[in-house]
Amino acid sequence: MSSLVIKDLHVSIGDKEIIRGLSLEIPKGEVHAVMGPNGSGKSTLSKAIGGHPDYTITSGEVLLDGENIIGMEPDVRARKGLFLAFQYPMEIPGVSNANFLRAAVQARLPEGEELEATEFYAAMYEKMDFLEIPRTFTSRSVNEGFSGGEKKRNEILQMAMLEPRYAILDETDSGLDIDALKIVSNGVNALRGPNLGVLLITHYQRLLDYIVPDYVHVMVAGRIVQSGGKELALELEEKGYDFIREGIEESASAVL
Amino acid sequence: MSSAILEAERMEQTIAAPPANLLTAGPLTRETSDGLAPLQAKAWERFESIPMPLRTNEEWRFSNLKRINLSVYTQPVALDQAAAESLVARSKGLEKAAGRLVFGNDELLSNELFSESLRQKGVIWLPLEQAATEHPELFSKYFMREEAILGGQKFAALHQSQVRAGTFLYVPRGVEIELPVESFHWLHGAGGSCFPHTLIVAEEMSKVTVVDYFQSDSEDSEGFACGMNDLWLGAGANVTYVCAQKWSSKALAFQINSTVVGRDARAVALNLNLGASLARTESVSRLRGQGGRSDMLAVSVADETQELDQRTFQIHEVRNTSSDLLYKNSLDDTARTIFAGLIRVDPGAHQTDAYQKVRNLLLSDESEANSAPGLEIEADDVRCTHGATTGQIDAEEFFYLLSRGIQPKEARKLIVHGFLQEVLDRLGHAAIAELLSEMVHAKFDAKAR
């Protein structure tokens, strides 16, 4: 029961089907990487699980510790313990990071209970220090004028504060130089543990040098076409996605 | 038996002085010793001779004139002791202020004057009525010397014929008043009226911040508010003026603002519009001395059937002056806003730098924002830009907040606050910005319930 289960998921944008029968299980405590070429539907997968209104789930289930979250509002899914780290985090002009985080933490408290401000700030500062985020961040508007690295660190800070049960990290490595990549990876690694399951979506193997996954899945054209251990990522890096594609085409023609 | 007599007597007393209907009231009755009396008689004549505005008048384009009916209001009604005490107790502004005046239905209820040291420096801070009598020369030199020119002439005349409440503040050369000066104006009961006035004269190299709060005693009370402010900035003076308006949602409100900026002076004025069924503000900045700068700011939160009508005029009379207007409106339900703003650069006013920006955020499909910016340029080598934008909450921003577990209502509130925050930040006064932000919050929270 303690897992995020995706069962035969089909997702469309408008009339176009992007995810075509995808199944995955991420038990708590494990890190699963989903790799795939551009256009394979990786980002669609994360947005659809998060409940973005532009993505229509036509069939299938997403079970969060046994509970189907399909049909729930995005904020309800989040409060049930799902976290989405965005590939392109949004800028929210005029809303300070501190107020944004406070609202998110407050939303998780029982009705009528007020957030204890000093405890909140102490927790936030501790996590910021670990992620090497300067204190000036708190008063800056959410992601506004942030560098790519700052935005991604901010995503991980939010994840650290919100303590999700399952986190989907969508191309967290994009837009990061080597130093930023290390900081962000250290942050994710520090959050790994028996109470968190991670779905790591990435195009490049390099992220997996820093966040070493327990399993690697290859996604092509809206399906998982191959799964394996962390060495699968290295094989992909070496041979490219074409070797997987060829494999699929071969098996497809074999069926015919 | 005796109680019946008492009852009858009390009835008689109440009937003895019913407040007069505004349209037939005549000038506010005055002693001849009063500095305002002669002005008020003339003003009443003007009020009667100027016709009610018509929708065909350019200045009243888009306005819903059907909602302006003065015949249902009376002159200000006297308050009983309990009401007066309650309003004073509810007059909460900034934690630290240099001084506070409280008015209810135009009656002075409380006067917390500021320090003796400021008085010794020559600062004059008095209720308007008292200033007119005690400093007649200074008063008449500045009181309503600039005509209303944006369509509200009739209401300016009415204001002048009825005014008694308000703040008179004279800051002599080189004097800086560190803490803000506050005044509170309350509308109490149904069908009454009030005519708040703020007159600030900031002499050369002086500095002051003034905050006016306009409120109704209850959300249900209907009433009419017709206020004005006159800001006069001498050379190098620095004046920040804030008018925080949250009349009841049934009130009718006019506010006519005039700012005259001298050489190298800096004026910052912000209107916060939260209340009133229909609120119209007319704001004119006259850049009269080289190097002068005027920042015109407004934050408006309109919902239900509210109509907020804002008219502005940036007049560059001499060269090397600048003005920067930023108005932001948030609209929900079937609310309407109107913005009509004009920048005028007079002949010879070269090197003018004028900027005007209006942004509307629509939170519902039925809300309606009208924007009509305009330019009149009669000089060369000027930089004037203006723009109006209208948009809705960005769906991706919204999803981002939801994905963090923030409830849709709260997420909308955060986004609207963020949208409005830019204007509040421009004040450069954290404590006031914080207070105004709380007032905006309160309006959203009241709606949530």
Side-chain angles (χ1 to χ4, degrees):
Chain A
M1 284 288 272
S2 273
S3 60
L4 179 69
V5 177
I6 303 162
K7 264 192 200 165
D8 193 26
L9 192 70
H10 289 256
V11 181
S12 297
I13 305 175
D15 294 337
K16 197 170 177 215
E17 184 166 65
I18 310 287
I19 307 282
R20 305 164 180 185
L22 183 143
S23 297
L24 259 184
E25 177 167 5
I26 299 126
K28 238 181 224 171
E30 293 182 3
V31 174
H32 288 235
V34 167
M35 299 183 71
N38 289 330
S40 57
K42 301 191 301 292
S43 283
T44 297
L45 178 64
S46 83
K47 291 277 174 67
I49 296 173
H52 193 292
D54 289 352
Y55 301 81
T56 313
I57 294 177
T58 51
S59 68
E61 283 182 332
V62 176
L63 305 172
L64 197 150
D65 290 345
E67 186 180 13
N68 191 3
I69 59 169
I70 300 300
M72 288 180 187
E73 291 301 320
D75 59 307
V76 177
R77 298 181 196 205
R79 292 197 298 276
K80 289 201 176 283
L82 183 71
F83 183 86
L84 237 59
F86 284 54
Q87 183 179 5
Y88 302 109
M90 295 306 298
E91 300 184 0
I92 317 283
V95 177
S96 74
N97 265 308
N99 283 344
F100 171 63
L101 271 175
R102 267 184 87 149
V105 174
Q106 174 75 52
R108 286 161 171 76
L109 298 179
E111 184 86 33
E113 197 175 306
E114 273 297 313
L115 185 65
E116 172 52 56
T118 48
E119 283 172 24
F120 166 76
Y121 273 93
M124 182 171 66
Y125 286 153
E126 188 197 322
K127 276 150 188 164
M128 285 170 68
D129 289 348
F130 181 74
L131 289 164
E132 299 178 39
I133 292 173
R135 296 283 160 91
T136 50
F137 246 55
T138 52
S139 58
R140 286 171 68 187
S141 293
V142 178
N143 296 326
E144 198 180 38
F146 281 28
S147 70
E150 287 175 326
K151 284 183 181 173
K152 294 302 170 75
R153 259 184 283 173
N154 208 16
E155 294 292 283
I156 304 306
L157 171 65
Q158 291 167 28
M159 178 172 152
M161 288 298 291
L162 300 177
E163 298 174 350
R165 291 193 270 174
Y166 301 96
I168 302 173
L169 312 187
D170 187 7
E171 309 255 1
T172 289
D173 51 331
S174 68
L176 298 186
D177 65 27
I178 181 66
D179 289 340
L181 182 63
K182 281 182 187 167
I183 295 170
V184 167
S185 302
N186 285 343
V188 175
N189 286 330
L191 296 173
R192 283 177 84 158
N195 298 318
L196 177 69
V198 177
L199 177 59
L200 201 58
I201 293 174
T202 183
H203 183 83
Y204 298 104
Q205 192 273 334
R206 64 169 193 163
L207 176 67
L208 307 185
D209 288 341
Y210 298 95
I211 307 173
V212 180
D214 298 301
Y215 296 93
V216 173
H217 309 274
V218 183
M219 183 171 177
V220 175
R223 282 189 203 101
I224 300 297
V225 295
Q226 196 170 347
S227 297
K230 59 185 179 229
E231 34 338 301
L232 178 59
L234 294 168
E235 196 180 346
L236 274 175
E237 177 79 354
E238 202 182 308
K239 299 181 180 168
Y241 286 108
D242 286 343
F243 110 91
I244 298 277
R245 282 206 188 97
E246 282 159 19
I248 301 166
E249 276 153 25
E250 273 168 30
S251 59
S253 49
V255 172
L256 288 171
Chain B
M1 182 73 180
S2 62
S3 73
I5 292 167
L6 273 175
E7 190 67 26
E9 274 175 359
R10 204 183 315 152
M11 293 271 293
E12 208 172 335
Q13 273 179 0
T14 325
I15 294 161
N21 185 286
L22 257 193
L23 288 181
T24 53
L28 195 68
T29 320
R30 303 254 131 223
E31 302 291 329
T32 43
S33 62
D34 194 308
L36 286 164
L39 284 172
Q40 297 206 311
K42 280 187 207 149
W44 180 259
E45 280 173 30
R46 253 196 334 280
F47 168 67
E48 289 203 305
S49 68
I50 302 172
M52 275 297 280
L54 298 170
R55 199 170 177 176
T56 48
N57 300 7
E58 180 57 29
E59 296 94 345
W60 292 85
R61 203 174 149 210
F62 305 117
S63 298
N64 188 356
L65 289 161
K66 278 187 216 127
R67 291 168 83 158
I68 302 174
N69 175 12
L70 298 184
S71 71
V72 300
Y73 305 109
T74 67
Q75 281 190 313
V77 184
L79 295 174
D80 62 37
Q81 184 73 17
E85 279 169 12
S86 138
L87 293 184
V88 171
R90 286 168 66 190
S91 296
K92 291 197 168 60
L94 297 160
E95 207 166 296
K96 287 181 181 168
R100 283 189 184 113
L101 290 177
V102 180
F103 299 88
N105 290 358
D106 279 358
E107 192 182 326
L108 179 65
L109 304 180
S110 163
N111 186 344
E112 292 173 44
L113 283 166
F114 50 29
S115 72
E116 189 55 36
S117 65
L118 283 171
R119 211 159 321 163
Q120 279 166 4
K121 285 178 188 164
V123 175
I124 303 169
W125 185 60
L126 291 171
L128 192 82
E129 205 172 14
Q130 196 180 338
T133 306
E134 293 179 12
H135 300 275
E137 279 180 29
L138 200 52
F139 185 81
S140 60
K141 189 175 170 189
Y142 294 105
F143 177 69
M144 292 184 70
R145 297 310 276 208
E146 294 294 344
E147 297 277 325
I149 51 173
L150 291 176
Q153 289 84 336
K154 186 175 179 72
F155 304 102
L158 177 63
H159 172 90
Q160 193 168 15
S161 76
Q162 306 296 321
V163 67
R164 64 189 271 231
T167 298
F168 177 87
L169 179 60
Y170 174 82
V171 191
R173 187 178 169 190
V175 174
E176 296 184 29
I177 303 178
E178 205 180 311
L179 292 171
V181 177
E182 296 181 308
S183 49
F184 295 81
H185 290 268
W186 291 90
L187 256 178
H188 184 275
S193 59
C194 71
F195 300 87
H197 197 103
T198 298
L199 173 53
I200 303 167
V201 180
E203 293 280 25
E204 199 175 332
M205 303 303 279
S206 65
K207 185 175 178 181
V208 66
T209 298
V210 175
V211 186
D212 281 345
Y213 304 89
F214 294 165
Q215 287 153 278
S216 300
D217 74 305
S218 99
E219 243 319 286
D220 297 324
S221 57
E222 292 175 33
F224 173 59
C226 184
M228 292 187 81
N229 78 61
D230 281 323
L231 312 184
W232 298 88
L233 285 78
N238 186 321
V239 173
T240 300
Y241 173 74
V242 174
C243 180
Q245 180 273 103
K246 55 165 187 178
W247 301 121
S248 96
S249 58
K250 292 182 178 167
L252 170 66
F254 292 110
Q255 179 67 24
I256 298 172
N257 306 312
S258 160
T259 303
V260 178
V261 182
R263 179 169 49 83
D264 299 325
R266 168 92 197 266
V268 179
L270 187 149
N271 299 317
L272 173 68
N273 296 305
L274 298 176
S277 158
L278 185 155
R280 178 176 166 111
T281 59
E282 299 180 7
S283 301
V284 180
S285 269
R286 293 174 171 87
L287 284 305
R288 193 157 285 171
Q290 284 198 41
R293 177 183 165 94
S294 177
D295 284 76
M296 301 167 76
L297 308 169
V299 168
S300 302
V301 180
D303 65 9
E304 309 282 333
T305 57
Q306 275 187 298
E307 178 173 317
L308 303 180
D309 184 356
Q310 298 172 301
R311 314 275 164 160
T312 66
F313 205 176
Q314 295 153 264
I315 307 176
H316 293 261
E317 299 180 357
V318 297
R319 59 165 64 215
N320 283 318
T321 55
S322 59
S323 64
D324 191 348
L325 178 148
L326 178 63
Y327 275 34
K328 286 197 176 183
N329 302 317
S330 137
L331 297 90
D332 204 351
D333 307 316
T334 58
R336 293 180 78 222
T337 59
I338 299 160
F339 173 83
L342 192 61
I343 296 172
R344 189 171 85 199
V345 181
D346 283 348
H350 307 299
Q351 281 90 46
T352 283
D353 191 346
Y355 194 70
Q356 183 189 91
K357 189 160 100 178
V358 182
R359 290 191 62 196
N360 303 305
L361 180 62
L362 304 180
L363 302 176
S364 73
D365 295 337
E366 297 81 33
S367 55
E368 175 192 319
N370 303 279
S371 305
L375 297 173
E376 266 177 28
I377 301 174
E378 295 187 52
D380 308 319
D381 187 19
V382 300
R383 194 166 62 190
C384 294
T385 50
H386 65 148
T389 61
T390 299
Q392 290 171 324
I393 285 182
D394 183 277
E396 297 302 321
E397 274 180 40
F398 191 59
F399 177 69
Y400 188 65
L401 294 177
L402 298 187
S403 77
R404 297 306 179 245
I406 299 170
Q407 293 89 344
K409 202 172 275 172
E410 199 63 28
R412 271 157 61 100
K413 193 169 106 177
L414 272 177
I415 289 174
V416 175
H417 271 273
F419 168 75
L420 300 174
Q421 192 62 39
E422 181 192 1
V423 187
L424 300 180
D425 288 343
R426 282 268 299 272
L427 261 184
H429 196 299
I432 298 176
E434 176 74 27
L435 183 70
L436 300 183
S437 181
E438 280 168 21
M439 290 172 73
V440 173
H441 263 285
K443 175 158 182 172
F444 273 91
D445 290 345
K447 191 175 172 61
R449 281 196 290 276

